[in-house]
Amino acid sequence: MKLPTAPRARRTLIALIAALSLAILVAGIGIYGLLIGSEQPIESTDPPSSTAAPSAEPSREPTSPPRIPSIPQTTDAEAFARSVAAALFTWDTGSGFLPLDYTAVVLDVADPTSFEQSGLAADIANYLPTQSAWVQLRPYATTQRLEITSSFVPDAWAGALVQARPGQLPDGSVAYTIEGIRHRSGVWNGDPVTAEQTLAFTIFIACPADDPCYVLRLSKLNNPLH
């Protein structure tokens, strides 16, 4: 008589299937939790650890915005004059900066008393493109740099020192005439184009004893002291 055992077998089979299904469901939930993480923090009864677990997420260091290189401070008069000259003529219309940004670089090393600052700002404006010209040059990816061919104290500076009234010039005042070639490059109708022009100008600076040099004024472009 095996008939009474059939229902028991079916019940046993059903129980096994239910247990297996529950196990699969629990395993599935566990794997899903590992993939997406727990939505709620798990409270722990363990005492807090003194060292935090390393984060799996890479650290994101803040990136500094691009900056125009500053003019290095120095007590070397000629080196300073050449650095100022390079800053005056080095710009890129595609850099995201404007003429005023390049002006600020030179004004950062201007007369610390601010006595000559407004005059120097007006001088610099004669060396950089206007805002409207900058907008017109930008679509052509226009850039500029200066190749300095010579720098020297002009002979006329000795006469200027003699004629200056007492206290008219700061201590350590000196003038340097810069001669060089202005290089411009850009893109026209998809082709690279370049242009060169010789130029000269004079930078008036002051280098007090044991203090960094600073800019006083600039001559008009192509009207230097000789």
Side-chain angles (χ1 to χ4, degrees):
M1 298 293 294
K2 296 182 179 179
L3 291 177
T5 63
R8 187 183 303 115
R10 281 197 298 271
R11 286 196 300 271
T12 303
L13 180 60
I14 291 171
L16 287 174
I17 293 174
L20 182 60
S21 299
L22 181 61
I24 293 173
L25 178 61
V26 172
I29 293 174
I31 293 172
Y32 181 72
L34 287 175
L35 290 175
I36 67 169
S38 175
E39 293 184 358
Q40 308 222 347
I42 300 174
E43 295 183 2
S44 175
T45 57
D46 296 333
S49 173
S50 60
T51 57
S55 173
E57 204 174 312
S59 61
R60 291 177 184 156
E61 295 291 335
T63 56
S64 301
R67 293 186 59 189
I68 302 172
S70 58
I71 298 172
Q73 293 188 340
T74 180
T75 56
D76 186 323
E78 183 172 4
F80 180 71
R82 292 173 73 96
S83 294
V84 172
L88 277 171
F89 286 89
T90 302
W91 46 256
D92 181 353
T93 58
S95 63
F97 296 107
L98 298 173
L100 285 178
D101 298 314
Y102 291 95
T103 299
V105 172
V106 180
L107 291 180
D108 282 344
V109 291
D111 179 5
T113 66
S114 300
F115 182 75
E116 296 285 2
Q117 194 165 35
S118 59
L120 177 59
D123 295 341
I124 298 170
N126 294 321
Y127 284 75
L128 290 169
T130 63
Q131 184 68 27
S132 59
W134 191 269
V135 172
Q136 294 174 4
L137 291 170
R138 184 179 293 162
Y140 305 106
T142 308
T143 64
Q144 179 178 278
R145 65 179 179 86
L146 177 65
E147 177 189 350
I148 299 175
T149 55
S150 65
S151 57
F152 56 90
V153 177
D155 294 337
W157 180 245
L161 289 176
V162 172
Q163 297 175 14
R165 298 188 303 274
Q168 184 177 3
L169 296 174
D171 293 339
S173 295
V174 64
Y176 273 90
T177 292
I178 307 293
E179 296 177 340
I181 303 171
R182 178 172 62 189
H183 297 270
R184 279 192 181 179
S185 62
V187 179
W188 177 262
N189 291 332
D191 296 323
V193 292
T194 59
E196 298 178 354
Q197 181 184 13
T198 57
L199 51 80
F201 58 99
T202 300
I203 301 176
F204 301 92
I205 64 176
C207 297
D210 301 325
D211 286 328
C213 302
Y214 58 87
V215 188
L216 294 171
R217 296 293 299 268
L218 305 170
S219 75
K220 289 185 177 180
L221 185 59
N222 291 324
N223 189 21
L225 291 180
H226 295 286

